[in-house]
Amino acid sequence: MDRRKSIQTIILGAGASALAFHGCKTDGTDTAKEALAAAENTHYFGRTPEELELIEKLNAEQLFTEHEMETIAVLSTIILPPREPNGGPIEAEVPEFIEFMGKDIPELQLTLKGGLMWLDHKSNADFGTEFKLATLDQQKQILDTICYHDIDKPLDVQPLEIQFFYLMRGLTVCGYYSSKVGVAELGYKGNTPNVWDGVPEDVLEQHGVAYDPEWVAKCIDHSTRNEIATWDEKGNLLT
């Protein structure tokens, strides 16, 4: 299961209603044909040709306006402030991730679009300006009214603005910590070599067996014990 499918499973729990939006195409760096060719020659993170075609299609669509994307950028950095030295949601391209997930899961679009509209309406009513232009203190005052939900009621029957913040918080955190920036922030390095010298000699003797010296030389190489494997950007093992 790739990142997109994993996060679909998590986010659909928000229970948002459906509303489809269609956008215009923009120029991409890779064509679908080039992506498919790359997939045929490499594992490409396990994506199938059908998944690559869908990703190409979604990347060519536009869900949010420029204003909405700027609002998402501001909101995501309030939810998860930037961290040194790796950066925050902007460096991790969280706003772009949120737009992609909104296109990939149309059921989320009403909540996302409606919530962004609510933020501006509330900010204009309370402070006479758009949410993205309000001061940080004003923005937090607004968010304090929607950042908690009633745990005794199903989320999908609570006000849209409550659903919106719950969804945005989940998308922001998922998008950040599933990105290269977020993984670096966690300091996660994946599985690393451990020390294993084979079955202890006394145990081998108890069972009347022994290692083939040629096998030991191939499988227990102390000189490479601390080497960490590296991959290229398409997932090919380099060393």
Side-chain angles (χ1 to χ4, degrees), residues 63-187:
L63 173 60
F64 297 117
T65 66
E66 181 178 352
H67 170 76
E68 289 170 331
M69 287 294 287
E70 291 171 351
T71 303
I72 290 172
V74 169
L75 178 56
S76 67
T77 58
I78 297 173
I79 292 172
L80 196 61
R83 301 160 185 246
E84 295 297 338
N86 298 302
I90 305 305
E91 290 76 13
E93 298 184 349
V94 167
E96 292 80 4
F97 167 79
I98 292 173
E99 182 179 51
F100 182 89
M101 295 307 298
K103 292 182 291 187
D104 194 38
I105 311 176
E107 294 87 346
L108 305 181
Q109 293 178 8
L110 178 62
T111 302
L112 291 171
K113 284 274 191 176
L116 291 169
M117 186 180 300
W118 182 90
L119 282 182
D120 276 340
H121 175 76
K122 178 68 172 174
S123 184
N124 274 306
D126 291 357
F127 306 113
T129 188
E130 300 169 341
F131 179 82
K132 69 178 185 180
L133 299 179
T135 66
L136 179 59
D137 181 65
Q138 292 170 339
Q139 291 166 344
K140 288 183 175 180
Q141 287 183 51
I142 293 172
L143 297 179
D144 281 345
T145 67
I146 61 173
C147 64
Y148 298 104
H149 64 279
D150 188 343
I151 61 174
D152 295 324
K153 294 181 181 179
L155 188 64
D156 59 1
V157 301
Q158 298 188 45
L160 180 142
E161 60 270 22
I162 298 289
Q163 296 182 42
F164 166 73
F165 188 83
Y166 179 90
L167 179 58
M168 279 295 304
R169 181 167 50 198
L171 283 168
T172 298
V173 173
C174 286
Y176 181 77
Y177 284 110
S178 63
S179 72
K180 186 175 181 179
V181 172
V183 170
E185 175 64 27
L186 288 172

Side-chain angles (χ1 to χ4, degrees), residues 212-231:
D212 181 340
E214 185 178 346
W215 182 90
V216 172
K218 290 180 180 179
C219 299
I220 305 179
D221 184 357
H222 294 271
S223 68
T224 62
R225 173 166 287 166
N226 294 317
E227 291 183 7
I228 298 177
T230 56
W231 291 264

Side-chain angles (χ1 to χ4, degrees), residues 7-32:
I7 296 172
Q8 275 186 344
T9 304
I10 297 170
I11 294 169
L12 280 173
S17 302
L19 179 63
F21 288 85
H22 301 283
C24 59
K25 289 192 173 184
T26 57
D27 294 332
T29 57
D30 296 318
T31 64

